[in-house]
Amino acid sequence: MNKSIMIVGVGGQGTLLASRILGSALLDCGYDVKVSEVHGMSQRGGSVVTYVRWGEKVASPIIEKGEADIILAFEQLEAARWIEYLKPDGKIIVNTQQIDPMPVVMGAAEYPAGVIEALKATGADVQAIDALPLAVEAGTSKAVNVILIGAMAKSMDLDKEIWIKALKESVPPKFLELNLKAFDSGYDA
Amino acid sequence: MKKLFLGNEAVARGLYEAGCRVVSSYPGTPSTEVTEFAATYDEMFSEWAPNEKVAMEVAFGASVAGARSFCAMKHVGLNVAADPLFTASYTGVNAGMVILVADDPGMHSSQNEQDSRHYAMGAKIMMLEPSDSAECLDYAKRAFELSEKFDTPVILRVTTRVAHSRSAAETADRVDNGLKEYTKNPQKYVMVPANAKGKHVIVEQRILDQVAYCEKEAVENGLNKVEYNSKKIGVIASGICYQYAKEALGENASYLKLGCVYPLPVDLIKNFAAECEKVYVLEELDDYLETHCRKNGIEVIGKEAFTLQGEYSQSLIAKVILGEEKACLKTDVNIVPRPPVLCAGCPHRGLFYALKQLKVTVSGDIGCYTLGASQPLGMIDTVLCMGASVSALHGRNLADSANAKKSVAVIGDSTFIHSGVTGLINIAYNATDSVVIILDNSITGMTGHQQNPTTGYNIKGEPAAAVSLEKLAAAVGINTVIVVDPYNLEETKNGIQQALEAEGPAVVISRRPCALLKTVKHNPPLKVNKDKCKSCKMCMKIGCPAISMKDGKAQIDFTQCLGCNVCSQLCKFGAIE
């Protein structure tokens, strides 16, 4: 049976790195893997989504409504935007960070309140993480993505060493120690 | 070795393995990464050309000289290169020549949804369409073989979901057969009417030969593939739609997968359709395969059940063919849209704010700065295609010369070189009082930071000749050229004002490197002094994603702010420090 994970967030948050690390970890485990990314215009602070699918043989690289086993959301509003894509018995890991979209910045709309509660009310398995302070503690606010990768790793049935290897292959050596620290922090969150 | 390849990366690997020697492209989403990855192989000469037409002509010249050659572009780029395309079909090749075109159904990052398969048919050029990364690699190699076999350029067509998806592919060694000998042959390479008439006859025969190949040999070698499972449902598809169909229907359907989408076989399709009870054609964008089927009397279900707009998916196919829909979760959260925006610290922001103060009409162009059309800036009136800002401004000013001093064109450095410079020559030559603003951010931004002829570096980051925009403008006959720094609002506004008041046409160069460039040093993030903030929201008029209101006061997100100081110039109370 094929499995599907969606990684959603705001352009610039580092969702692509997360999907790449997940993709190589899964390939290392011997699965057929497909990862779908979006580049270009929507990366400029827009809502971004990447799909990761794996199993014995994967055909489609994309995930549709009601198909994701796990959603990893880098931002609250994005979690709510994509919740329809989760299987009714799926799990959503959500970073509680809020990034105001332009209609909110302009005062044309309000950032919705009570998103985490609303996610829980759907019946989904919700894990909320405040990743930004953990990232700052690990050394930089830019490590939010690696904190969240750590949290996702905890929810998946893969050997931790495989994740560490994929991480090593994906980040520059001089930032490895910082990233390993961030990964552990997310894994234990 | 098996590894995960981005579709575009796999195409580049295929070029490398096929012994390709020359790669020339202009960036455009979703095609850009092919050439970026190609440039990582030293065995291939790779370059960013000023535009797609130049790139294709470079590939043509290299092919004639005897090197396997390649060029890549997005769908609208093929419009720019259509002139060489249609005649390269007549000349054919010496060494293999492959053209990649990347279509963008759903317009993830494009201004239209055109279907490039019509170009293959129009130019009578063979077109292959891969459906995953392994096929991207394989078809790139096949394309060179077919190019040489049939003496024709071959087009490789990908769509966003193939170009930007990762899947496993096996690599092999590079086979480079060296430079093929060039023999002078005007009947083949000089397309004047007398020669072209003869070549057209050859082209039509070539298509018949290719159809025969698609009927038989292509089936034997797996380019066109028939898979029989349940014959209740038959699916005719190519590219990503084949993968969606497999996902949705699995073994409940039989498949005719067309790896070659031009020319198309007839008997192969007829025989497949005859075996199946109901036959669906699954194709994004136009009813291209469907029309071919109907023309040949093959009964199929196509666009009447699906759509001409946007992307297909496994769930769309399951819904239409099987009547199945997945259960999904619902929330009552008000989902506020999150459109793309100019980045925090983007130099274009200050420029657009200055234009807003000047209340001018703005003829826009293609690039990150197209986002200047979004609220709260809302300062672009038209966007058509690459380069059109400049020529359309001239047209506007011819039609309404009384208001020429109230309108400008905005165009990025790379787009200006691509096709804005010809429009500027027209402005100087045919003399309208037009003001063209070149947004020089020292890089091709939207497609992810590619060098261009104005940056002083080539695709490998090595120093290269740099076009001087000031001298270029002067050389074509523009007497007023003003350079401003868009981080300085007063200077920018005054500079544009001066250009508008000048006699004759003028160019303003708004110069400041893209804030995301690794070489750009940032100031520390700014902070709002809550005691000084009077909640007037002036700082929010520039639409910076780092600024928001919290508890009635402005606040600046330290993770996003790059300290550009544009907002602090708007604060009358000195609250931004």
Side-chain angles (χ1 to χ4, degrees):
Chain A
M1 191 62 189
N2 291 344
K3 293 274 188 185
S4 303
I5 289 190
M6 270 173 87
I7 302 174
V8 305
V10 178
Q13 280 193 299
T15 51
L16 281 184
L17 179 72
S19 63
R20 279 170 202 175
I21 288 175
L22 177 57
S24 5
L26 290 162
L27 191 75
D28 263 357
C29 296
Y31 291 111
D32 187 33
V33 182
K34 284 193 177 169
V35 180
S36 189
E37 307 173 349
V38 172
H39 302 205
M41 173 78 89
S42 57
Q43 275 185 289
R44 303 282 170 265
S47 170
V48 290
V49 52
T50 59
Y51 310 106
V52 182
R53 305 191 65 235
W54 72 99
E56 201 178 318
K57 180 73 193 153
V58 178
S60 171
I62 67 166
I63 298 171
E64 289 276 296
K65 287 180 183 173
E67 292 184 350
D69 294 279
I70 298 177
I71 293 179
L72 179 65
F74 279 47
E75 201 270 351
Q76 280 194 38
L77 176 60
E78 295 312 307
R81 188 186 314 282
W82 298 99
I83 188 76
E84 284 181 305
Y85 284 68
L86 194 65
K87 282 181 181 166
D89 59 350
K91 174 168 185 175
I92 181 162
I93 302 165
V94 51
N95 179 16
T96 56
Q97 195 176 346
Q98 291 187 10
I99 299 174
D100 287 351
M102 198 42 66
V104 173
V105 171
M106 286 160 51
E110 277 195 26
Y111 193 99
V115 170
I116 305 294
E117 293 69 27
L119 294 175
K120 286 180 179 162
T122 63
D125 177 3
V126 180
Q127 182 189 353
I129 296 178
D130 195 3
L132 184 58
L134 294 176
V136 172
E137 200 181 306
T140 168
S141 62
K142 292 197 174 89
V144 162
N145 57 351
V146 182
I147 300 274
L148 293 169
I149 292 167
M152 173 176 65
K154 188 68 177 284
S155 294
M156 290 178 62
D157 211 9
L158 296 185
D159 193 7
K160 196 173 168 187
E161 288 312 306
I162 285 182
W163 290 98
I164 306 282
K165 181 168 172 263
L167 195 61
K168 278 183 185 162
E169 286 165 3
S170 308
V171 302
K174 64 174 174 174
F175 297 122
L176 183 61
E177 198 181 332
L178 186 155
N179 279 299
L180 288 174
K181 196 172 158 194
F183 179 87
D184 276 334
S185 166
Y187 196 87
D188 298 330
Chain B
M1 194 190 82
K2 200 173 185 180
K3 73 166 236 194
L4 275 188
F5 279 93
L6 192 69
N8 282 343
E9 182 185 10
V11 171
R13 178 72 201 186
L15 303 179
Y16 167 78
E17 292 181 11
C20 178
R21 291 172 158 236
V22 174
V23 175
S24 183
S25 305
Y26 184 80
T29 313
S31 72
T32 311
E33 300 82 4
V34 180
T35 306
E36 291 184 314
F37 281 109
T40 64
Y41 297 103
D42 287 335
E43 293 87 342
M44 297 190 277
F45 177 86
S46 300
E47 67 175 23
W48 289 127
N51 66 34
E52 296 85 354
K53 178 177 185 290
V54 172
M56 192 178 289
E57 292 156 352
V58 168
F60 167 76
S63 158
V64 173
R68 282 192 167 185
S69 66
F70 174 84
C71 58
M73 59 208 67
K74 69 183 294 172
H75 56 317
V76 285
L78 190 54
N79 301 337
V80 179
D83 199 356
L85 179 80
F86 276 70
T87 307
S89 170
Y90 278 33
T91 62
V93 302
N94 179 18
M97 172 177 167
V98 176
I99 299 154
L100 176 128
V101 60
D103 284 3
D104 190 15
M107 292 177 279
H108 294 277
S109 196
S110 301
Q111 66 270 44
N112 75 24
E113 234 176 349
Q114 72 185 48
D115 188 331
S116 294
R117 294 176 299 175
H118 298 299
Y119 269 112
M121 186 191 267
K124 303 171 192 282
I125 290 180
M126 194 175 217
M127 177 182 261
L128 310 186
E129 183 174 18
S131 73
D132 61 17
S133 298
E135 287 183 358
C136 282
L137 198 161
D138 179 37
Y139 286 17
K141 292 163 81 170
R142 285 176 186 257
F144 280 110
E145 286 161 21
L146 290 165
S147 170
E148 287 166 7
K149 178 182 169 84
F150 290 108
D151 188 11
T152 174
V154 171
I155 303 174
L156 200 56
R157 181 211 191 209
V158 293
T159 56
T160 301
R161 296 297 184 183
V162 171
H164 285 167
S165 290
R166 288 169 195 275
S167 59
E170 291 273 1
T171 58
D173 291 337
R174 175 176 168 92
V175 178
D176 185 348
N177 292 324
L179 213 59
K180 220 169 158 180
E181 194 186 341
Y182 164 70
T183 314
K184 186 164 175 158
N185 185 351
Q187 282 74 31
K188 175 166 164 56
Y189 294 122
V190 180
M191 284 303 98
V192 291
N195 293 341
K197 278 176 190 163
K199 286 300 291 186
H200 190 184
V201 175
I202 294 172
V203 167
E204 297 302 336
Q205 182 57 48
R206 182 177 78 201
I207 294 167
L208 297 178
D209 296 345
Q210 287 172 347
V211 170
Y213 168 86
C214 291
E215 297 279 12
K216 194 164 179 287
E217 208 178 320
V219 180
E220 289 159 5
N221 68 29
L223 183 61
N224 288 338
K225 218 163 50 174
V226 183
E227 292 169 45
Y228 284 118
N229 303 300
S230 161
K231 293 184 177 175
K232 283 209 161 81
I233 300 167
V235 167
I236 300 170
S238 65
I240 196 67
C241 284
Y242 165 77
Q243 301 289 356
Y244 292 151
K246 290 283 281 188
E247 189 72 39
L249 309 169
E251 299 202 337
N252 297 319
S254 292
Y255 303 89
L256 172 57
K257 178 185 181 294
L258 297 165
C260 180
V261 293
Y262 184 82
L264 291 164
V266 176
D267 292 341
L268 181 66
I269 300 176
K270 266 190 184 158
N271 295 340
F272 174 78
E275 290 282 328
C276 301
E277 277 179 36
K278 247 184 178 180
V279 180
Y280 291 88
V281 172
L282 300 179
E283 57 184 330
E284 289 171 332
L285 304 181
D286 294 340
D287 53 356
Y288 169 89
L289 299 174
E290 181 185 339
T291 302
H292 172 79
C293 291
R294 292 196 201 282
K295 193 175 91 179
N296 288 289
I298 304 163
E299 205 179 306
V300 294
I301 303 165
K303 292 295 172 185
E304 73 269 33
F306 290 90
T307 173
L308 292 160
Q309 288 115 38
E311 297 184 285
Y312 280 25
S313 68
Q314 61 264 29
S315 61
L316 175 71
I317 293 167
K319 189 176 161 191
V320 172
I321 299 183
L322 305 174
E324 289 175 2
E325 273 186 271
K326 292 230 163 66
C328 61
L329 301 170
K330 298 275 176 214
T331 67
D332 52 5
V333 173
N334 175 30
I335 309 292
V336 183
R338 191 186 298 276
V341 293
L342 292 172
C343 305
C346 176
H348 303 325
R349 180 171 287 107
L351 186 270
F352 281 111
Y353 186 75
L355 292 177
K356 191 160 193 166
Q357 288 180 296
L358 291 165
K359 298 189 175 67
V360 286
T361 301
V362 181
S363 180
D365 223 299
I366 308 280
C368 288
Y369 50 91
T370 312
L371 293 168
S374 314
Q375 294 302 328
L377 292 163
M379 277 314 290
I380 288 184
D381 289 78
T382 56
V383 173
L384 184 66
C385 63
M386 296 280 286
S389 61
V390 183
S391 1
L393 174 68
H394 177 70
R396 166 175 283 278
N397 290 342
L398 285 175
D400 184 12
S401 57
N403 283 312
K405 295 296 184 191
K406 290 177 190 159
S407 57
V408 300
V410 292
I411 183 165
D413 48 341
S414 186
T415 309
F416 177 73
I417 295 294
H418 177 280
S419 47
V421 63
T422 40
L424 187 67
I425 292 168
N426 192 41
I427 284 173
Y429 176 53
N430 289 308
T432 49
D433 282 353
S434 299
V435 174
V436 174
I437 304 175
I438 304 174
L439 283 62
D440 179 8
N441 65 348
S442 309
I443 203 75
T444 311
M446 175 60 88
T447 44
H449 286 177
Q450 288 75 34
Q451 302 296 342
N452 69 54
T454 70
T455 66
Y457 296 94
N458 67 18
I459 194 169
K460 293 194 179 235
E462 298 155 351
V467 172
S468 159
L469 294 170
E470 291 92 322
K471 285 185 187 163
L472 179 64
V476 305
I478 305 292
N479 295 325
T480 306
V481 180
I482 299 164
V483 180
V484 298
D485 175 359
Y487 273 4
N488 185 329
L489 294 177
E490 199 58 29
E491 176 188 317
T492 302
K493 187 179 152 195
N494 292 342
I496 299 166
Q497 186 70 49
Q498 199 187 327
L500 288 166
E501 286 165 4
E503 198 175 322
V507 163
V508 176
I509 300 169
S510 174
R511 179 168 286 148
R512 171 65 74 164
C514 171
L516 301 183
L517 278 172
K518 288 204 170 74
T519 48
V520 171
K521 295 269 175 282
H522 299 134
N523 295 323
L526 300 172
K527 276 187 190 146
V528 176
N529 182 330
K530 295 229 182 312
D531 298 332
K532 290 189 189 170
C533 176
K534 305 281 186 230
S535 313
C536 70
K537 298 190 181 174
M538 264 310 284
C539 58
M540 306 193 70
K541 291 199 186 299
I542 48 172
C544 176
I547 307 176
S548 58
M549 291 298 282
K550 195 176 184 189
D551 306 327
K553 301 279 181 182
Q555 70 165 4
I556 295 174
D557 177 356
F558 77 96
T559 66
Q560 291 194 65
C561 178
L562 302 179
C564 74
N565 272 313
V566 169
C567 59
S568 62
Q569 294 168 56
L570 295 174
C571 183
K572 291 177 188 138
F573 310 103
I576 300 175
E577 297 164 348

